[in-house]
Amino acid sequence: MPALQQKNMETWQVVRDRVLLYVRAMDLPPFEGLEIALESLKKANTYSIEEAMDSLAYTIGKRGLNKGVLDAQGEHIASVPPINKGVMVSKNFDRTPWLTALKIFIHRWTRDLFGPSRTR
């Protein structure tokens, strides 16, 4: 088997396994899951995982299976946490962490040796 054909076969197997794994995780009846995987792989007809997963998402949507997970009240539960797009404020970094660690150690050592300071 030529090297290019071997590589394409390995890539196709990865794409197939990814689609089957996703369908298996959906906890569908066995034949329905296989039918969805087969239909989406036939539509994609590609060696690209992205295109195969897009085809699978389309097939799942077409069959009305993308309802998501609902809680006890019937509200949709997101599968990912919400994205916080707030601004990150920079923090000053300690340029001499060894010196800071030494100061903390000496402060704790003197506190343990002599007791807490009464000046506060």
Side-chain angles (χ1 to χ4, degrees):
M1 197 181 290
L4 181 61
Q5 189 177 5
Q6 178 67 26
K7 178 155 176 59
N8 285 344
M9 181 59 91
E10 290 172 4
T11 306
W12 174 251
Q13 289 172 349
V14 170
V15 170
R16 177 203 62 201
D17 292 345
R18 179 74 59 94
V19 169
L20 287 172
L21 183 64
Y22 190 90
V23 170
R24 182 175 181 209
M26 290 180 66
D27 197 26
L28 296 170
F31 291 113
E32 184 178 3
L34 289 174
E35 288 172 2
I36 290 171
L38 181 62
E39 184 179 340
S40 64
L41 287 171
K42 282 182 178 179
K43 282 183 184 173
N45 195 19
T46 182
Y47 296 107
S48 168
I49 292 175
E50 292 82 15
E51 290 178 28
M53 294 305 287
D54 287 342
S55 175
L56 178 63
Y58 175 76
T59 304
I60 290 170
K62 187 176 78 172
R63 289 189 178 219
L65 297 173
N66 60 349
K67 304 274 191 250
V69 179
L70 302 177
D71 63 4
Q73 290 79 25
E75 298 290 325
H76 177 74
I77 299 174
S79 61
V80 294
I83 297 174
N84 183 1
K85 295 184 179 181
V87 178
M88 292 179 61
V89 180
S90 64
K91 181 180 178 184
N92 292 334
F93 290 101
D94 188 4
R95 302 260 183 209
T96 54
W98 60 271
L99 184 59
T100 304
L102 181 62
K103 287 178 183 178
I104 291 171
F105 172 76
I106 291 173
H107 176 71
R108 288 182 182 164
W109 180 73
T110 55
R111 185 188 63 207
D112 291 344
L113 186 65
F114 301 113
S117 173
R118 304 222 188 261
T119 59
R120 291 187 188 184

